[in-house]
Amino acid sequence: QVRLVPSGGGGSAQAGGSLSLSCSASGVRPVRYCMGWFRQAPGKDPEGVAAIDIDGSTNYAIAVEGRFTISKDSATNTLYLQMNGLKPEDTAMYYCAAELREAITYCRGGYFAEFGYWGQGIQVTVSS
């Protein structure tokens, strides 16, 4: 049974600051699952933030590229998102997600609707 549980991070930061998120995955083998981070701000549509494929390749939304880094620790089945250079527009509820690689078209944030396993949200608030 796949279960994703936020295991740390989130909270508040000032613009230009940093935060990191982590998500513990059980029932997931990173070598078989695409994993990603998504976010939804109040009144806005959800958007893909970053995704990491089974081969370790990563991709990012244009809005966060160069500032955020997604990574995974296969030994502990933990997914991370390091967020640097935070901006007020990064304020949102962040979610980790996973799906079997063969079950999705591309391991990219834009395909978040194809991810079937989701963790609870982690609030990130960035003040100017």
Side-chain angles (χ1 to χ4, degrees):
Q1 182 178 356
V2 175
R3 191 161 176 244
L4 302 173
V5 179
S7 53
S12 300
Q14 291 195 325
S18 299
L19 288 171
S20 61
L21 307 179
S22 60
C23 176
S24 296
S26 59
V28 171
R29 293 183 61 193
V31 295
R32 294 191 61 197
Y33 282 78
C34 167
M35 303 182 76
W37 289 97
F38 304 86
R39 67 186 182 186
Q40 185 168 21
K44 294 189 177 181
D45 291 332
E47 65 172 329
V49 175
I52 185 164
D53 211 333
I54 57 176
D55 63 357
S57 60
T58 59
N59 62 83
Y60 299 89
I62 293 174
V64 306
E65 191 145 24
R67 300 188 296 120
F68 290 12
T69 302
I70 187 172
S71 62
K72 62 182 179 181
D73 184 334
S74 298
T76 62
N77 271 9
T78 304
L79 182 70
Y80 299 97
L81 184 69
Q82 178 65 40
M83 304 181 291
N84 299 327
L86 284 164
K87 302 177 180 180
E89 51 263 43
D90 294 320
T91 295
M93 192 72 78
Y94 285 70
Y95 301 87
C96 59
E99 185 52 81
L100 276 168
R101 185 59 183 92
E102 63 255 36
I104 58 174
T105 308
Y106 297 104
C107 184
R108 301 185 68 88
Y111 291 81
F112 66 86
E114 298 184 15
F115 283 68
Y117 304 101
W118 293 80
Q120 290 186 322
I122 308 172
Q123 180 65 43
V124 170
T125 303
V126 183
S127 57
S128 57

